[in-house]
Amino acid sequence: MKRHRSILSASACRYGNGMVMPPPTSPVPRVGRPRRDEAGAVNARILAAATDLFLERGLAATSCEAVAARARVGKASLYARYAGKEALFEAVVQHALEGRSFRWQGPETRDAPPAERLALAGRAVLSQALQPVPLELMRLFMAEARRFPALIAQVERISRGRVLEVVSRALVPETPDPQVRARADAVADRFLDLTFAPIIVDALMGREGQTAAEAVDRRIVTALEVLGHEVLTDPPGA
């Protein structure tokens, strides 16, 4: 017992005789989940990197490791969010659908006659769809249609529905009559079959001559001639 007290006393004397106490060790910061805004930024980088690489190389030639490197995140961060490349591709598709690339905007057509309203709406949505980003995304999605049939069918359904809404509302901006709206939707649907669908196919096949402004205008004029009296006058109640 005496020896124990003498050792403690000696230690106290040494630090009391001018010797400097060592600085306390800094506490190790706790590693936890990132804040919500940081996690969102990481996910945005992953999706942007994956989109770029899928467009550059295709799905088969892109690895999750390459995506992580392009996004400047650890592989663990990527796999914590996506189980594999297939899940990442599905997220890229959903992200594209939610973004501006597949959000079609219609022109102001309220004071124009019906046929002109239809033509203006057709040119507007085609001009947007034929931009490089949405067109390249459509090429990517179609290339993977066999591997992800349900997902790509969803893309086609949602995209066409949005285009149809723009064209239908250009033809009949507002109506309380569901029958009038149904008729406008039917005319818009036929108009898209005659214009939007074949022109997009030509674009995906790289037929630039068929997607030039003059060719688009010719197809729109032909579609209006085929539709004839269906679009020459406003429907009752419109």
PDB file of all heavy atoms in Angstrom, residues 54 59 85-97 140-142 144-159:
ATOM      1  N   PHE A  54     -24.173   5.207 -69.680  1.00  0.00           N
ATOM      2  CA  PHE A  54     -25.078   4.372 -70.467  1.00  0.00           C
ATOM      3  C   PHE A  54     -25.234   4.933 -71.881  1.00  0.00           C
ATOM      4  O   PHE A  54     -25.306   4.174 -72.850  1.00  0.00           O
ATOM      5  CB  PHE A  54     -26.450   4.274 -69.790  1.00  0.00           C
ATOM      6  CG  PHE A  54     -26.450   3.459 -68.523  1.00  0.00           C
ATOM      7  CD1 PHE A  54     -27.382   3.707 -67.528  1.00  0.00           C
ATOM      8  CD2 PHE A  54     -25.529   2.445 -68.322  1.00  0.00           C
ATOM      9  CE1 PHE A  54     -27.399   2.959 -66.363  1.00  0.00           C
ATOM     10  CE2 PHE A  54     -25.531   1.690 -67.150  1.00  0.00           C
ATOM     11  CZ  PHE A  54     -26.470   1.946 -66.167  1.00  0.00           C
ATOM     12  N   LEU A  59     -25.502  -0.126 -71.963  1.00  0.00           N
ATOM     13  CA  LEU A  59     -25.651  -0.784 -70.662  1.00  0.00           C
ATOM     14  C   LEU A  59     -24.638  -1.903 -70.480  1.00  0.00           C
ATOM     15  O   LEU A  59     -24.005  -2.035 -69.431  1.00  0.00           O
ATOM     16  CB  LEU A  59     -27.074  -1.328 -70.521  1.00  0.00           C
ATOM     17  CG  LEU A  59     -27.408  -2.043 -69.209  1.00  0.00           C
ATOM     18  CD1 LEU A  59     -27.257  -1.092 -68.029  1.00  0.00           C
ATOM     19  CD2 LEU A  59     -28.818  -2.606 -69.258  1.00  0.00           C
ATOM     20  N   LYS A  85     -26.403  -3.285 -61.596  1.00  0.00           N
ATOM     21  CA  LYS A  85     -26.527  -2.429 -62.774  1.00  0.00           C
ATOM     22  C   LYS A  85     -27.964  -2.359 -63.281  1.00  0.00           C
ATOM     23  O   LYS A  85     -28.411  -1.310 -63.760  1.00  0.00           O
ATOM     24  CB  LYS A  85     -25.603  -2.956 -63.870  1.00  0.00           C
ATOM     25  CG  LYS A  85     -25.505  -2.063 -65.078  1.00  0.00           C
ATOM     26  CD  LYS A  85     -24.298  -2.410 -65.934  1.00  0.00           C
ATOM     27  CE  LYS A  85     -24.320  -3.839 -66.427  1.00  0.00           C
ATOM     28  NZ  LYS A  85     -23.215  -4.110 -67.355  1.00  0.00           N
ATOM     29  N   GLU A  86     -28.701  -3.457 -63.162  1.00  0.00           N
ATOM     30  CA  GLU A  86     -30.085  -3.458 -63.627  1.00  0.00           C
ATOM     31  C   GLU A  86     -30.924  -2.479 -62.809  1.00  0.00           C
ATOM     32  O   GLU A  86     -31.715  -1.714 -63.359  1.00  0.00           O
ATOM     33  CB  GLU A  86     -30.673  -4.869 -63.549  1.00  0.00           C
ATOM     34  CG  GLU A  86     -30.109  -5.848 -64.562  1.00  0.00           C
ATOM     35  CD  GLU A  86     -28.705  -6.324 -64.208  1.00  0.00           C
ATOM     36  OE1 GLU A  86     -28.270  -6.085 -63.048  1.00  0.00           O
ATOM     37  OE2 GLU A  86     -28.038  -6.905 -65.069  1.00  0.00           O
ATOM     38  N   ALA A  87     -30.751  -2.517 -61.501  1.00  0.00           N
ATOM     39  CA  ALA A  87     -31.490  -1.586 -60.642  1.00  0.00           C
ATOM     40  C   ALA A  87     -31.091  -0.145 -60.931  1.00  0.00           C
ATOM     41  O   ALA A  87     -31.930   0.767 -60.915  1.00  0.00           O
ATOM     42  CB  ALA A  87     -31.245  -1.921 -59.174  1.00  0.00           C
ATOM     43  N   LEU A  88     -29.826   0.073 -61.235  1.00  0.00           N
ATOM     44  CA  LEU A  88     -29.352   1.411 -61.552  1.00  0.00           C
ATOM     45  C   LEU A  88     -29.950   1.888 -62.871  1.00  0.00           C
ATOM     46  O   LEU A  88     -30.355   3.049 -62.999  1.00  0.00           O
ATOM     47  CB  LEU A  88     -27.828   1.409 -61.619  1.00  0.00           C
ATOM     48  CG  LEU A  88     -27.133   2.743 -61.863  1.00  0.00           C
ATOM     49  CD1 LEU A  88     -27.550   3.775 -60.817  1.00  0.00           C
ATOM     50  CD2 LEU A  88     -25.614   2.562 -61.837  1.00  0.00           C
ATOM     51  N   PHE A  89     -30.037   1.000 -63.851  1.00  0.00           N
ATOM     52  CA  PHE A  89     -30.640   1.371 -65.133  1.00  0.00           C
ATOM     53  C   PHE A  89     -32.113   1.749 -64.945  1.00  0.00           C
ATOM     54  O   PHE A  89     -32.587   2.734 -65.515  1.00  0.00           O
ATOM     55  CB  PHE A  89     -30.520   0.214 -66.130  1.00  0.00           C
ATOM     56  CG  PHE A  89     -31.158   0.503 -67.461  1.00  0.00           C
ATOM     57  CD1 PHE A  89     -30.535   1.338 -68.373  1.00  0.00           C
ATOM     58  CD2 PHE A  89     -32.374  -0.062 -67.806  1.00  0.00           C
ATOM     59  CE1 PHE A  89     -31.118   1.625 -69.607  1.00  0.00           C
ATOM     60  CE2 PHE A  89     -32.964   0.211 -69.029  1.00  0.00           C
ATOM     61  CZ  PHE A  89     -32.333   1.051 -69.933  1.00  0.00           C
ATOM     62  N   GLU A  90     -32.825   0.966 -64.159  1.00  0.00           N
ATOM     63  CA  GLU A  90     -34.233   1.285 -63.895  1.00  0.00           C
ATOM     64  C   GLU A  90     -34.360   2.649 -63.234  1.00  0.00           C
ATOM     65  O   GLU A  90     -35.285   3.420 -63.550  1.00  0.00           O
ATOM     66  CB  GLU A  90     -34.851   0.197 -63.021  1.00  0.00           C
ATOM     67  CG  GLU A  90     -34.990  -1.145 -63.732  1.00  0.00           C
ATOM     68  CD  GLU A  90     -35.581  -2.219 -62.834  1.00  0.00           C
ATOM     69  OE1 GLU A  90     -35.910  -1.896 -61.674  1.00  0.00           O
ATOM     70  OE2 GLU A  90     -35.716  -3.362 -63.289  1.00  0.00           O
ATOM     71  N   ALA A  91     -33.443   2.970 -62.326  1.00  0.00           N
ATOM     72  CA  ALA A  91     -33.481   4.275 -61.669  1.00  0.00           C
ATOM     73  C   ALA A  91     -33.198   5.394 -62.663  1.00  0.00           C
ATOM     74  O   ALA A  91     -33.801   6.471 -62.590  1.00  0.00           O
ATOM     75  CB  ALA A  91     -32.466   4.313 -60.520  1.00  0.00           C
ATOM     76  N   VAL A  92     -32.286   5.152 -63.596  1.00  0.00           N
ATOM     77  CA  VAL A  92     -31.979   6.145 -64.625  1.00  0.00           C
ATOM     78  C   VAL A  92     -33.210   6.410 -65.492  1.00  0.00           C
ATOM     79  O   VAL A  92     -33.530   7.562 -65.822  1.00  0.00           O
ATOM     80  CB  VAL A  92     -30.796   5.672 -65.495  1.00  0.00           C
ATOM     81  CG1 VAL A  92     -30.702   6.483 -66.790  1.00  0.00           C
ATOM     82  CG2 VAL A  92     -29.493   5.794 -64.719  1.00  0.00           C
ATOM     83  N   VAL A  93     -33.926   5.352 -65.848  1.00  0.00           N
ATOM     84  CA  VAL A  93     -35.135   5.506 -66.665  1.00  0.00           C
ATOM     85  C   VAL A  93     -36.185   6.318 -65.907  1.00  0.00           C
ATOM     86  O   VAL A  93     -36.776   7.265 -66.455  1.00  0.00           O
ATOM     87  CB  VAL A  93     -35.698   4.124 -67.064  1.00  0.00           C
ATOM     88  CG1 VAL A  93     -37.055   4.282 -67.741  1.00  0.00           C
ATOM     89  CG2 VAL A  93     -34.726   3.394 -67.977  1.00  0.00           C
ATOM     90  N   GLN A  94     -36.431   5.966 -64.655  1.00  0.00           N
ATOM     91  CA  GLN A  94     -37.427   6.697 -63.872  1.00  0.00           C
ATOM     92  C   GLN A  94     -37.010   8.154 -63.680  1.00  0.00           C
ATOM     93  O   GLN A  94     -37.856   9.069 -63.730  1.00  0.00           O
ATOM     94  CB  GLN A  94     -37.622   6.022 -62.505  1.00  0.00           C
ATOM     95  CG  GLN A  94     -38.206   4.628 -62.576  1.00  0.00           C
ATOM     96  CD  GLN A  94     -39.626   4.594 -63.122  1.00  0.00           C
ATOM     97  OE1 GLN A  94     -40.323   5.610 -63.133  1.00  0.00           O
ATOM     98  NE2 GLN A  94     -40.061   3.436 -63.572  1.00  0.00           N
ATOM     99  N   HIS A  95     -35.731   8.383 -63.465  1.00  0.00           N
ATOM    100  CA  HIS A  95     -35.228   9.741 -63.298  1.00  0.00           C
ATOM    101  C   HIS A  95     -35.436  10.554 -64.570  1.00  0.00           C
ATOM    102  O   HIS A  95     -35.807  11.736 -64.520  1.00  0.00           O
ATOM    103  CB  HIS A  95     -33.744   9.698 -62.930  1.00  0.00           C
ATOM    104  CG  HIS A  95     -33.126  11.038 -62.689  1.00  0.00           C
ATOM    105  ND1 HIS A  95     -33.456  11.834 -61.617  1.00  0.00           N
ATOM    106  CD2 HIS A  95     -32.203  11.735 -63.396  1.00  0.00           C
ATOM    107  CE1 HIS A  95     -32.760  12.954 -61.653  1.00  0.00           C
ATOM    108  NE2 HIS A  95     -32.007  12.927 -62.731  1.00  0.00           N
ATOM    109  N   ALA A  96     -35.216   9.925 -65.722  1.00  0.00           N
ATOM    110  CA  ALA A  96     -35.426  10.613 -66.998  1.00  0.00           C
ATOM    111  C   ALA A  96     -36.889  10.975 -67.192  1.00  0.00           C
ATOM    112  O   ALA A  96     -37.223  12.070 -67.657  1.00  0.00           O
ATOM    113  CB  ALA A  96     -34.935   9.744 -68.149  1.00  0.00           C
ATOM    114  N   LEU A  97     -37.779  10.063 -66.822  1.00  0.00           N
ATOM    115  CA  LEU A  97     -39.215  10.331 -66.961  1.00  0.00           C
ATOM    116  C   LEU A  97     -39.657  11.490 -66.078  1.00  0.00           C
ATOM    117  O   LEU A  97     -40.568  12.238 -66.427  1.00  0.00           O
ATOM    118  CB  LEU A  97     -40.021   9.083 -66.611  1.00  0.00           C
ATOM    119  CG  LEU A  97     -40.138   8.010 -67.685  1.00  0.00           C
ATOM    120  CD1 LEU A  97     -40.897   6.802 -67.139  1.00  0.00           C
ATOM    121  CD2 LEU A  97     -40.818   8.545 -68.930  1.00  0.00           C
ATOM    122  N   LEU A 140     -31.425   4.701 -76.224  1.00  0.00           N
ATOM    123  CA  LEU A 140     -30.950   3.823 -75.153  1.00  0.00           C
ATOM    124  C   LEU A 140     -32.071   2.921 -74.664  1.00  0.00           C
ATOM    125  O   LEU A 140     -31.888   1.707 -74.512  1.00  0.00           O
ATOM    126  CB  LEU A 140     -30.402   4.660 -74.004  1.00  0.00           C
ATOM    127  CG  LEU A 140     -30.047   3.919 -72.711  1.00  0.00           C
ATOM    128  CD1 LEU A 140     -28.890   2.953 -72.949  1.00  0.00           C
ATOM    129  CD2 LEU A 140     -29.708   4.909 -71.599  1.00  0.00           C
ATOM    130  N   PHE A 141     -33.235   3.486 -74.428  1.00  0.00           N
ATOM    131  CA  PHE A 141     -34.354   2.705 -73.899  1.00  0.00           C
ATOM    132  C   PHE A 141     -34.792   1.636 -74.894  1.00  0.00           C
ATOM    133  O   PHE A 141     -35.055   0.485 -74.509  1.00  0.00           O
ATOM    134  CB  PHE A 141     -35.527   3.624 -73.569  1.00  0.00           C
ATOM    135  CG  PHE A 141     -35.228   4.666 -72.522  1.00  0.00           C
ATOM    136  CD1 PHE A 141     -36.029   5.785 -72.382  1.00  0.00           C
ATOM    137  CD2 PHE A 141     -34.124   4.533 -71.684  1.00  0.00           C
ATOM    138  CE1 PHE A 141     -35.751   6.744 -71.422  1.00  0.00           C
ATOM    139  CE2 PHE A 141     -33.835   5.493 -70.724  1.00  0.00           C
ATOM    140  CZ  PHE A 141     -34.652   6.598 -70.587  1.00  0.00           C
ATOM    141  N   MET A 142     -34.845   1.982 -76.165  1.00  0.00           N
ATOM    142  CA  MET A 142     -35.267   1.010 -77.168  1.00  0.00           C
ATOM    143  C   MET A 142     -34.239  -0.106 -77.316  1.00  0.00           C
ATOM    144  O   MET A 142     -34.594  -1.263 -77.564  1.00  0.00           O
ATOM    145  CB  MET A 142     -35.490   1.698 -78.509  1.00  0.00           C
ATOM    146  CG  MET A 142     -36.651   2.685 -78.525  1.00  0.00           C
ATOM    147  SD  MET A 142     -38.196   1.976 -77.893  1.00  0.00           S
ATOM    148  CE  MET A 142     -38.480   0.677 -79.095  1.00  0.00           C
ATOM    149  N   GLU A 144     -32.635  -1.452 -75.005  1.00  0.00           N
ATOM    150  CA  GLU A 144     -32.770  -2.357 -73.872  1.00  0.00           C
ATOM    151  C   GLU A 144     -34.204  -2.859 -73.696  1.00  0.00           C
ATOM    152  O   GLU A 144     -34.545  -3.410 -72.647  1.00  0.00           O
ATOM    153  CB  GLU A 144     -32.320  -1.649 -72.587  1.00  0.00           C
ATOM    154  CG  GLU A 144     -30.883  -1.153 -72.619  1.00  0.00           C
ATOM    155  CD  GLU A 144     -29.876  -2.279 -72.850  1.00  0.00           C
ATOM    156  OE1 GLU A 144     -30.169  -3.433 -72.455  1.00  0.00           O
ATOM    157  OE2 GLU A 144     -28.808  -1.998 -73.431  1.00  0.00           O
ATOM    158  N   ALA A 145     -35.035  -2.682 -74.731  1.00  0.00           N
ATOM    159  CA  ALA A 145     -36.455  -3.050 -74.607  1.00  0.00           C
ATOM    160  C   ALA A 145     -36.645  -4.537 -74.364  1.00  0.00           C
ATOM    161  O   ALA A 145     -37.540  -4.942 -73.616  1.00  0.00           O
ATOM    162  CB  ALA A 145     -37.215  -2.613 -75.857  1.00  0.00           C
ATOM    163  N   ARG A 146     -35.838  -5.384 -74.975  1.00  0.00           N
ATOM    164  CA  ARG A 146     -35.986  -6.831 -74.769  1.00  0.00           C
ATOM    165  C   ARG A 146     -35.611  -7.231 -73.343  1.00  0.00           C
ATOM    166  O   ARG A 146     -36.197  -8.170 -72.789  1.00  0.00           O
ATOM    167  CB  ARG A 146     -35.121  -7.598 -75.764  1.00  0.00           C
ATOM    168  CG  ARG A 146     -35.653  -7.593 -77.192  1.00  0.00           C
ATOM    169  CD  ARG A 146     -34.911  -8.586 -78.044  1.00  0.00           C
ATOM    170  NE  ARG A 146     -35.473  -8.670 -79.380  1.00  0.00           N
ATOM    171  CZ  ARG A 146     -35.067  -9.533 -80.304  1.00  0.00           C
ATOM    172  NH1 ARG A 146     -34.074 -10.381 -80.025  1.00  0.00           N
ATOM    173  NH2 ARG A 146     -35.639  -9.550 -81.493  1.00  0.00           N
ATOM    174  N   ARG A 147     -34.662  -6.558 -72.778  1.00  0.00           N
ATOM    175  CA  ARG A 147     -34.204  -6.906 -71.439  1.00  0.00           C
ATOM    176  C   ARG A 147     -35.137  -6.353 -70.365  1.00  0.00           C
ATOM    177  O   ARG A 147     -35.289  -6.950 -69.299  1.00  0.00           O
ATOM    178  CB  ARG A 147     -32.788  -6.368 -71.230  1.00  0.00           C
ATOM    179  CG  ARG A 147     -32.089  -6.897 -69.998  1.00  0.00           C
ATOM    180  CD  ARG A 147     -30.640  -6.489 -70.016  1.00  0.00           C
ATOM    181  NE  ARG A 147     -29.929  -6.945 -68.837  1.00  0.00           N
ATOM    182  CZ  ARG A 147     -28.641  -6.685 -68.606  1.00  0.00           C
ATOM    183  NH1 ARG A 147     -27.936  -6.008 -69.491  1.00  0.00           N
ATOM    184  NH2 ARG A 147     -28.067  -7.121 -67.496  1.00  0.00           N
ATOM    185  N   PHE A 148     -35.757  -5.208 -70.653  1.00  0.00           N
ATOM    186  CA  PHE A 148     -36.651  -4.560 -69.686  1.00  0.00           C
ATOM    187  C   PHE A 148     -37.980  -4.245 -70.368  1.00  0.00           C
ATOM    188  O   PHE A 148     -38.363  -3.073 -70.494  1.00  0.00           O
ATOM    189  CB  PHE A 148     -36.026  -3.271 -69.156  1.00  0.00           C
ATOM    190  CG  PHE A 148     -34.691  -3.444 -68.490  1.00  0.00           C
ATOM    191  CD1 PHE A 148     -33.517  -3.385 -69.225  1.00  0.00           C
ATOM    192  CD2 PHE A 148     -34.605  -3.652 -67.126  1.00  0.00           C
ATOM    193  CE1 PHE A 148     -32.279  -3.529 -68.619  1.00  0.00           C
ATOM    194  CE2 PHE A 148     -33.376  -3.806 -66.506  1.00  0.00           C
ATOM    195  CZ  PHE A 148     -32.201  -3.751 -67.252  1.00  0.00           C
ATOM    196  N   PRO A 149     -38.723  -5.235 -70.825  1.00  0.00           N
ATOM    197  CA  PRO A 149     -39.932  -4.964 -71.620  1.00  0.00           C
ATOM    198  C   PRO A 149     -40.985  -4.164 -70.874  1.00  0.00           C
ATOM    199  O   PRO A 149     -41.579  -3.226 -71.422  1.00  0.00           O
ATOM    200  CB  PRO A 149     -40.439  -6.362 -71.994  1.00  0.00           C
ATOM    201  CG  PRO A 149     -39.834  -7.280 -70.969  1.00  0.00           C
ATOM    202  CD  PRO A 149     -38.499  -6.680 -70.635  1.00  0.00           C
ATOM    203  N   ALA A 150     -41.242  -4.510 -69.612  1.00  0.00           N
ATOM    204  CA  ALA A 150     -42.284  -3.804 -68.855  1.00  0.00           C
ATOM    205  C   ALA A 150     -41.872  -2.358 -68.600  1.00  0.00           C
ATOM    206  O   ALA A 150     -42.701  -1.438 -68.692  1.00  0.00           O
ATOM    207  CB  ALA A 150     -42.551  -4.526 -67.545  1.00  0.00           C
ATOM    208  N   LEU A 151     -40.613  -2.145 -68.280  1.00  0.00           N
ATOM    209  CA  LEU A 151     -40.131  -0.800 -67.989  1.00  0.00           C
ATOM    210  C   LEU A 151     -40.204   0.089 -69.221  1.00  0.00           C
ATOM    211  O   LEU A 151     -40.681   1.227 -69.150  1.00  0.00           O
ATOM    212  CB  LEU A 151     -38.689  -0.868 -67.474  1.00  0.00           C
ATOM    213  CG  LEU A 151     -38.027   0.461 -67.111  1.00  0.00           C
ATOM    214  CD1 LEU A 151     -38.745   1.112 -65.944  1.00  0.00           C
ATOM    215  CD2 LEU A 151     -36.554   0.242 -66.778  1.00  0.00           C
ATOM    216  N   ILE A 152     -39.755  -0.418 -70.363  1.00  0.00           N
ATOM    217  CA  ILE A 152     -39.761   0.391 -71.578  1.00  0.00           C
ATOM    218  C   ILE A 152     -41.185   0.603 -72.075  1.00  0.00           C
ATOM    219  O   ILE A 152     -41.510   1.663 -72.623  1.00  0.00           O
ATOM    220  CB  ILE A 152     -38.889  -0.268 -72.663  1.00  0.00           C
ATOM    221  CG1 ILE A 152     -37.462  -0.478 -72.120  1.00  0.00           C
ATOM    222  CG2 ILE A 152     -38.859   0.579 -73.907  1.00  0.00           C
ATOM    223  CD1 ILE A 152     -36.824   0.769 -71.529  1.00  0.00           C
ATOM    224  N   ALA A 153     -42.070  -0.376 -71.858  1.00  0.00           N
ATOM    225  CA  ALA A 153     -43.481  -0.178 -72.200  1.00  0.00           C
ATOM    226  C   ALA A 153     -44.074   0.952 -71.354  1.00  0.00           C
ATOM    227  O   ALA A 153     -44.898   1.742 -71.838  1.00  0.00           O
ATOM    228  CB  ALA A 153     -44.260  -1.474 -71.992  1.00  0.00           C
ATOM    229  N   GLN A 154     -43.664   1.021 -70.101  1.00  0.00           N
ATOM    230  CA  GLN A 154     -44.120   2.108 -69.230  1.00  0.00           C
ATOM    231  C   GLN A 154     -43.631   3.460 -69.751  1.00  0.00           C
ATOM    232  O   GLN A 154     -44.382   4.440 -69.755  1.00  0.00           O
ATOM    233  CB  GLN A 154     -43.611   1.885 -67.809  1.00  0.00           C
ATOM    234  CG  GLN A 154     -44.012   2.982 -66.831  1.00  0.00           C
ATOM    235  CD  GLN A 154     -43.308   2.870 -65.493  1.00  0.00           C
ATOM    236  OE1 GLN A 154     -42.214   2.317 -65.408  1.00  0.00           O
ATOM    237  NE2 GLN A 154     -43.917   3.384 -64.450  1.00  0.00           N
ATOM    238  N   VAL A 155     -42.379   3.514 -70.195  1.00  0.00           N
ATOM    239  CA  VAL A 155     -41.833   4.747 -70.759  1.00  0.00           C
ATOM    240  C   VAL A 155     -42.659   5.186 -71.961  1.00  0.00           C
ATOM    241  O   VAL A 155     -43.043   6.354 -72.084  1.00  0.00           O
ATOM    242  CB  VAL A 155     -40.361   4.555 -71.171  1.00  0.00           C
ATOM    243  CG1 VAL A 155     -39.849   5.778 -71.935  1.00  0.00           C
ATOM    244  CG2 VAL A 155     -39.492   4.304 -69.959  1.00  0.00           C
ATOM    245  N   GLU A 156     -42.942   4.244 -72.859  1.00  0.00           N
ATOM    246  CA  GLU A 156     -43.699   4.561 -74.063  1.00  0.00           C
ATOM    247  C   GLU A 156     -45.104   5.048 -73.713  1.00  0.00           C
ATOM    248  O   GLU A 156     -45.595   6.036 -74.275  1.00  0.00           O
ATOM    249  CB  GLU A 156     -43.774   3.328 -74.957  1.00  0.00           C
ATOM    250  CG  GLU A 156     -44.154   3.620 -76.411  1.00  0.00           C
ATOM    251  CD  GLU A 156     -45.652   3.804 -76.610  1.00  0.00           C
ATOM    252  OE1 GLU A 156     -46.431   3.249 -75.814  1.00  0.00           O
ATOM    253  OE2 GLU A 156     -46.040   4.504 -77.564  1.00  0.00           O
ATOM    254  N   ARG A 157     -45.743   4.381 -72.757  1.00  0.00           N
ATOM    255  CA  ARG A 157     -47.105   4.742 -72.367  1.00  0.00           C
ATOM    256  C   ARG A 157     -47.157   6.130 -71.737  1.00  0.00           C
ATOM    257  O   ARG A 157     -48.009   6.966 -72.088  1.00  0.00           O
ATOM    258  CB  ARG A 157     -47.660   3.696 -71.398  1.00  0.00           C
ATOM    259  CG  ARG A 157     -49.110   3.933 -71.003  1.00  0.00           C
ATOM    260  CD  ARG A 157     -49.630   2.807 -70.125  1.00  0.00           C
ATOM    261  NE  ARG A 157     -48.940   2.719 -68.843  1.00  0.00           N
ATOM    262  CZ  ARG A 157     -48.019   1.804 -68.537  1.00  0.00           C
ATOM    263  NH1 ARG A 157     -47.675   0.876 -69.408  1.00  0.00           N
ATOM    264  NH2 ARG A 157     -47.432   1.799 -67.355  1.00  0.00           N
ATOM    265  N   ILE A 158     -46.232   6.396 -70.821  1.00  0.00           N
ATOM    266  CA  ILE A 158     -46.227   7.694 -70.139  1.00  0.00           C
ATOM    267  C   ILE A 158     -45.870   8.814 -71.112  1.00  0.00           C
ATOM    268  O   ILE A 158     -46.505   9.878 -71.131  1.00  0.00           O
ATOM    269  CB  ILE A 158     -45.257   7.668 -68.951  1.00  0.00           C
ATOM    270  CG1 ILE A 158     -45.782   6.730 -67.863  1.00  0.00           C
ATOM    271  CG2 ILE A 158     -45.041   9.072 -68.388  1.00  0.00           C
ATOM    272  CD1 ILE A 158     -44.836   6.534 -66.701  1.00  0.00           C
ATOM    273  N   SER A 159     -44.864   8.588 -71.952  1.00  0.00           N
ATOM    274  CA  SER A 159     -44.430   9.617 -72.893  1.00  0.00           C
ATOM    275  C   SER A 159     -45.539   9.952 -73.883  1.00  0.00           C
ATOM    276  O   SER A 159     -45.831  11.123 -74.137  1.00  0.00           O
ATOM    277  CB  SER A 159     -43.184   9.152 -73.650  1.00  0.00           C
ATOM    278  OG  SER A 159     -42.116   8.924 -72.763  1.00  0.00           O
TER     279      SER A 159
END
